[in-house]
Amino acid sequence: MTYKYFGAPDRATAARVPTALGPGGLGLDAGELGSLGRLGDLMETSGSPNGHLSTKIKPETMSAMVLTGIQGVPLHQVPPLELVVLHPDYAVVQLPPTVVEPLRKADETELGAAAFIWSTVPDRRGPRDAFVIYSMLHEWQDFANRLHDAGHQLYCLVWP
């Protein structure tokens, strides 16, 4: 699976993103699809001149990182994502404000604590992963703030 995070002003616009791109190009310009940066083996930037992002991080995991690590919500209470489009070839989900707002407002200490918590998951490698996760959360925070400033909400395009 591949995950692309992007911003759109509303659900109707987000629903049109995959069809607007067409089957050959999932790269939008930075005004439409934010580039979160390169984060080691967790993320890879395509060779597209538009700099779109493909990531290995599921939106469910991103939500859990924010809510458990920053808000202290127990993992079993992390709410489901909001489905915008379900198509045989892709899906579009919205990350709800209950995830985006805490991420946008988190300070450095909260981001660091969340990164450390998630670096202790059994398949992680400790401090190196904590730093990569911290960088990722910080990039997501910057992205979420840019979207907010543009009047956009955070969505994720999921396809095989």
Side-chain angles (χ1 to χ4, degrees):
M1 297 295 263
T2 303
Y3 309 96
K4 280 191 189 293
Y5 294 87
F6 68 95
D10 54 51
R11 293 168 64 91
T13 304
R16 291 190 305 271
V17 164
T19 56
L21 296 173
L26 290 172
L28 295 172
D29 66 34
E32 296 173 279
L33 177 67
S35 173
L36 300 181
R38 185 164 185 81
L39 297 170
D41 58 353
L42 293 178
M43 297 190 170
E44 35 187 65
T45 305
S46 79
S48 164
N50 295 327
H52 68 270
L53 174 79
S54 296
T55 177
K56 298 175 185 176
I57 304 295
K58 295 178 183 180
E60 296 87 349
T61 302
M62 190 255 205
S63 293
M65 280 184 191
V66 169
L67 292 177
T68 62
I70 295 173
Q71 292 292 105
V73 173
L75 191 56
H76 69 277
Q77 291 182 355
V78 173
L81 300 173
E82 299 174 20
L83 183 64
V84 176
V85 173
L86 181 58
H87 183 277
D89 297 327
Y90 60 85
V92 175
V93 295
Q94 180 179 5
L95 283 88
T98 56
V99 172
V100 178
E101 288 306 305
L103 175 62
R104 285 187 51 246
K105 295 175 181 176
D107 62 24
E108 297 296 317
T109 302
E110 292 168 319
L111 292 177
F116 177 76
I117 289 166
W118 278 88
S119 73
T120 62
V121 172
D123 66 340
R124 301 285 77 189
R125 299 179 306 231
R128 172 176 281 175
D129 278 354
F131 182 76
V132 170
I133 293 168
Y134 168 79
S135 297
M136 177 183 62
L137 289 171
H138 208 287
E139 296 258 1
W140 265 330
Q141 182 182 53
D142 291 344
F143 181 53
N145 281 324
R146 287 193 313 267
L147 291 178
H148 177 77
D149 292 346
H152 288 202
Q153 299 165 36
L154 183 57
Y155 297 90
C156 185
L157 173 60
V158 180
W159 79 96

